[in-house]
């Protein structure tokens, strides 16, 4: 098995709860290469969600939306939701002091396994918004289930290759070493998939890039780079922004 295929297995195993052979995680090159496969994992998740949406199309919208959200959360193991909660707690709890104190305080709170009230509120609001969108998506906007997870994970590629990773020994420490050519190819493939949605595809790409720019700028100002938690928060923020953008556009 080549490093490329092992990189795909690492990406699937890390980003989802889909079981993969554990020996794939022992290859350091595959761990770095896995970053280029992140958009493909998003496409896989989106395809599974679209299949579930088709299978449950006869159910009441609220029930269908709840089942889609349950499946979405279960397939990812709530991994990125955890990053969002940790980031929200740390951002508010680390506001005091000068720049160095804020940075150290923010990083320390992120490592705390307990979820504070700000994190709980952030999770509740984001899940509520996702559920509302999933329960009210017009027929023309169902590609959102494919494009939201795809773009959210595509944004991780420039995040890890362009921004410093500030947590030594963290889960994402190997990702900045991903081959640049493979990362560029994965981003071009993601753009090609979005292009199949016409002007809506262009819209969600613009929305995803805007969220990426705003969040990464905030991370640079507060932390000097990104961590695994802030990367998880980026995934959730892009997903919900893409969903809202498509749900709010006219058919």
């Amino acid at each position: 098995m080549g490093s490329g295929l092992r990189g795909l297995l690492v990406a699937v195993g890390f980003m989802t709860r889909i079981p993969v052979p554990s020996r794939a995680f022992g290859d350091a090159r595959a761990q770095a290469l896995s970053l280029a496969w992140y958009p493909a994992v998003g496409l896989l998740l989106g395809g599974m969600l679209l299949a579930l949406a088709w299978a449950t199309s006869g159910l009441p919208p609220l029930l269908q939306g709840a089942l889609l959200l349950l499946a979405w959360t279960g397939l990812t193991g709530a991994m990125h939701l955890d990053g969002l909660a940790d980031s929200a707690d740390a951002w508010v709890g680390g506001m005091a002091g000068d720049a160095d104190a804020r940075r150290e305080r923010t990083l320390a709170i992120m490592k705390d396994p307990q979820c504070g009230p700000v994190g709980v509120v952030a999770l509740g609001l984001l899940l509520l918004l996702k559920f509302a969108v999933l329960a009210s998506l017009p027929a023309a906007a169902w590609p959102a289930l494919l494009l939201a997870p795809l773009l959210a994970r595509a944004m991780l590629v420039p995040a890890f290759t362009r921004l410093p990773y500030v947590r030594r020994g963290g889960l994402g420490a190997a990702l900045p070493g991903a081959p640049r050519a493979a990362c560029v190819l994965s981003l071009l493939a993601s753009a090609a998939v979005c292009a199949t949605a016409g002007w809506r595809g262009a819209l969600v790409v613009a929305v995803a890039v805007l969220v990426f720019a705003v969040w990464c700028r905030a991370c640079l100002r507060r932390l000097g780079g990104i961590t695994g938690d802030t990367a998880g928060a980026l995934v959730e923020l892009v997903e919900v922004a893409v969903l809202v953008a498509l749900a709010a556009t006219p058919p």
Side-chain angles (χ1 to χ4, degrees), residues 11-199:
V12 172
F14 183 64
M15 301 290 284
T16 75
R17 295 286 72 85
I18 299 173
V20 299
S22 58
R23 62 179 179 273
F25 292 90
D27 187 333
R29 175 172 171 75
Q31 290 183 31
L33 188 59
S34 68
L35 178 64
W37 288 105
Y38 279 11
V41 175
L43 196 61
L44 172 64
L45 289 171
M48 296 172 74
L49 291 172
L50 275 177
L52 178 60
W54 174 82
T56 59
S57 59
L59 296 177
L62 292 178
L63 178 57
Q64 184 187 37
L67 291 175
L68 286 170
L69 182 58
L70 180 64
W72 202 331
T73 305
L75 284 169
T76 60
M79 174 184 179
H80 310 303
L81 290 169
D82 179 70
L84 175 73
D86 288 343
S87 296
D89 275 334
W91 232 256
V92 175
M95 292 178 66
D98 59 18
D100 289 337
R102 289 196 299 271
R103 178 181 185 277
E104 295 305 319
R105 177 68 173 160
T106 301
L107 289 173
I109 295 175
M110 280 185 189
K111 293 184 68 174
D112 190 340
Q114 297 183 352
C115 186
V118 177
V120 172
V121 170
L123 282 179
L125 291 176
L126 183 129
L127 289 172
L128 178 62
L129 189 54
K130 270 191 173 182
F131 170 70
V133 172
L134 292 173
S136 60
L137 275 176
W142 278 113
L145 289 178
L146 190 68
L147 300 183
L150 166 66
L151 282 171
R153 285 148 190 84
M155 291 299 101
L156 292 179
V157 177
F160 279 106
T161 55
R162 305 295 296 177
L163 277 68
Y165 189 77
V166 299
R167 184 87 74 183
R168 289 187 178 181
L171 293 176
L175 298 179
R180 294 297 187 269
C183 290
V184 170
L185 183 61
S186 72
L187 291 176
L188 291 175
S190 301
V193 173
C194 293
T196 63
W199 68 269

Side-chain angles (χ1 to χ4, degrees), residues 157-166 176 212 215-220 224-226 230:
V157 177
F160 279 106
T161 55
R162 305 295 296 177
L163 277 68
Y165 189 77
V166 299
F212 167 83
W215 180 235
C216 288
R217 183 174 185 272
C219 292
L220 283 171
I226 62 168
T230 61

